[in-house]
Amino acid sequence: MAERPLVSVVIPFYNAENTIQETLQSVLNQTYPNIEIILVNDGSTDGAVKIIEHLRHSHETITVITQDNAGVAAARNTGIAASKGEYIAPIDADDLWHPMRVEMHVDALEQTSPSVAVAYSPAYILDEKGYIIHKPKKFELSGNVFSEQLDVNFVGNGSGLTIRKDALTKIGGYSPMLREKGAQGCEDYMVQMMLAFHYHYVAVPYYLIGYRVYEGNMSSDEIKMLKSRFLVYDFLQSEYELDEEQVAQGKKSALFFHILKLCKKHQMIKSWRELKPIIKQIYSPAHFVCIIWKTILYKLLKKIIENLKTVFLPKSKEDEKLGFSDIAKQPPTT
C-alpha cells in the first residue's frame, strides 16, 4: 500500500502555556499516519517551551523553531518554509482537533483536482476551559467560493483548513501587512480570500475543530478585528480590482457581525469613539441609526421565538453542551 502524502502541521505559539499541551495532544491523536509537527516559538516568555520540550522527547515527529516575536503571519511562514509536506494544516496554539480531522481533509483533497487547494470544516466555539459555548451554522460550499467568503467568513478561523503547499507558496503565504499597520487579527481570513480567488475549495461538513474564544486572545478584540477585516477588503479591492459594491457589502456584513458581538459583551458604548470613524466609511449617521433599529427589532423577535422554544421544547440532558475533548472520542458529528 502506497504511503499517504505527508501533512505538515504548523503551530505558531506565543505565551500559550495554558493551552499548548491540550492543542498539541489533539494533533498527536490524529488517525492520519503521515504527519510532521512544526511548532514556531514566536518569542514566548512563559512556560510553553518547557511543556513542548517535554513532549518532543517522546515524539520524533515534533520540530521546534524559535524566532524573535514577529507576529502570527511571520511565524506561520517560518513553519511553512521549514515544512516538507505536500499539505499544510495550520492550527492555533489554543485550538483543538477531532482525531479524524487531518485524515478526512486529505481524503477530500485527494479525490479532487489540483484546482482545489483548500479543504475546510466548521468549528465548535469553545470557552477558555474547552467547553462548547456555540455551534455555528455549518456551510457546505465547494468550488469557487470567493464571493460567498467575501460576504461571510464561513471558514471562521485559521485552524479549520488544510491547504496544498504549492498553492500556498504561489500566493506568497501569510501576509505580515496587517501587523505592520497595527491591526493584527485577520491574517487567516486574508490568506483564505487569496486562495479562494485563485483556487477552489472543498467542504468537509463535519464539526472537526474546536475554536477557542476568550478574553485576552486575539479574536476577542472586536474593534481591532474589524479594522483588520476592513484592511483585508481594501487589499483585495486593490489587488484584484473588485467591484466597489461587492466590497462594500462585505464591509457591511463584517461591521454588523462585530457590532452584535460588542452588544453581547456590553461594550458598545465604551467602543463607540473607535467605531464611529469605521462606520462613516460606509454609512451616513441617519442611515446607520435606521439599520440599527431594524437589527434590534429582528434580534428581539428572534430571541422571543428562541425563548418560546425553550419553554415548549425543553432540551433533554443528552443535548447539554459537552467539552470538545469528550466529543473528540466519538465519530464526527454532522
Side-chain angles (χ1 to χ4, degrees):
M1 187 175 178
E3 187 176 52
R4 302 298 304 273
L6 178 65
V7 174
S8 300
V9 177
V10 176
I11 314 174
F13 69 95
Y14 174 75
N15 292 351
E17 65 180 358
N18 293 330
T19 58
I20 190 64
Q21 183 163 343
E22 194 178 5
T23 295
L24 190 49
Q25 194 60 55
S26 79
V27 177
L28 292 168
N29 289 345
Q30 292 298 299
T31 58
Y32 190 78
N34 196 13
I35 288 176
E36 64 170 358
I37 303 170
I38 302 170
L39 290 120
V40 182
N41 174 13
D42 192 34
S44 286
T45 57
D46 69 355
V49 175
K50 285 186 179 179
I51 293 169
I52 290 165
E53 284 300 322
H54 177 73
L55 286 168
R56 189 172 69 88
H57 290 310
S58 54
H59 296 280
E60 60 182 21
T61 57
I62 297 175
T63 300
V64 181
I65 302 170
T66 299
Q67 65 180 31
D68 292 335
N69 182 258
V72 66
R76 288 206 203 283
N77 288 337
T78 295
I80 293 163
S83 68
K84 300 181 180 68
E86 183 177 337
Y87 298 107
I88 303 294
I91 179 171
D92 289 339
D94 55 359
D95 291 342
L96 301 172
W97 280 350
H98 186 283
M100 293 178 68
R101 183 268 196 220
V102 172
E103 182 179 351
M104 294 183 77
H105 279 206
V106 174
D107 286 347
L109 286 164
E110 292 288 285
Q111 292 167 20
T112 62
S113 69
S115 65
V116 179
V118 177
Y120 74 96
S121 293
Y124 289 116
I125 307 301
L126 310 180
D127 65 14
E128 192 167 5
K129 293 181 180 179
Y131 286 87
I132 298 169
I133 55 177
H134 182 52
K135 183 179 178 181
K137 177 183 175 182
K138 180 177 64 178
F139 289 90
E140 299 187 30
L141 299 167
S142 293
N144 182 356
V145 300
F146 183 83
S147 295
E148 291 89 348
Q149 178 77 341
L150 188 68
D151 190 40
V152 178
N153 181 8
F154 58 80
V155 176
N157 63 86
S159 302
L161 67 165
T162 301
I163 312 163
R164 294 188 193 273
K165 184 180 177 180
D166 60 350
L168 191 53
T169 302
K170 283 177 183 175
I171 66 163
Y174 291 81
S175 172
M177 180 266 286
L178 298 175
R179 176 183 166 96
E180 291 165 2
K181 295 195 174 186
Q184 252 190 150
C186 288
E187 284 80 1
D188 296 312
Y189 179 67
M190 185 170 180
V191 84
Q192 289 160 21
M193 289 306 307
M194 293 164 70
L195 286 163
F197 185 83
H198 294 285
Y199 300 95
H200 287 180
Y201 278 35
V202 60
V204 182
Y206 298 87
Y207 289 93
L208 302 176
I209 293 88
Y211 177 55
R212 216 183 294 252
V213 177
Y214 53 92
E215 283 306 312
N217 76 345
M218 189 182 294
S219 58
S220 68
D221 188 334
E222 305 303 334
I223 297 295
K224 198 168 188 178
M225 290 294 288
L226 185 56
K227 289 178 179 177
S228 186
R229 185 76 169 263
F230 273 36
L231 283 172
V232 172
Y233 285 130
D234 291 340
F235 165 81
L236 294 171
Q237 186 170 7
S238 171
E239 184 74 11
Y240 301 135
E241 299 179 353
L242 302 182
D243 177 74
E244 287 186 16
E245 184 55 39
Q246 188 181 22
V247 173
Q249 184 56 48
K251 286 184 174 182
K252 290 173 185 177
S253 297
L255 175 64
F256 280 96
F257 173 77
H258 288 285
I259 282 177
L260 288 171
K261 292 185 79 172
L262 285 168
C263 290
K264 286 180 181 178
K265 295 178 180 180
H266 307 290
Q267 295 176 355
M268 186 66 181
I269 295 172
K270 185 174 71 174
S271 305
W272 180 249
R273 185 174 291 180
E274 289 183 279
L275 199 56
K276 198 173 176 181
I278 302 174
I279 293 169
K280 281 186 174 179
Q281 292 184 42
I282 47 179
Y283 286 116
S284 69
H287 190 191
F288 179 72
V289 169
C290 180
I291 290 173
I292 283 290
W293 273 113
K294 285 182 180 178
T295 305
I296 290 170
L297 290 171
Y298 168 75
K299 290 292 176 182
L300 185 61
L301 181 61
K302 188 177 178 183
K303 192 70 177 176
I304 290 169
I305 293 170
E306 286 174 356
N307 288 337
L308 287 171
K309 283 182 179 178
T310 303
V311 172
F312 293 107
L313 299 170
K315 289 188 175 183
S316 66
K317 287 187 176 180
E318 288 75 16
D319 294 324
E320 290 176 359
K321 293 168 184 173
L322 301 171
F324 189 79
S325 57
D326 297 325
I327 289 174
K329 296 173 186 175
Q330 303 170 16
T333 307
T334 56

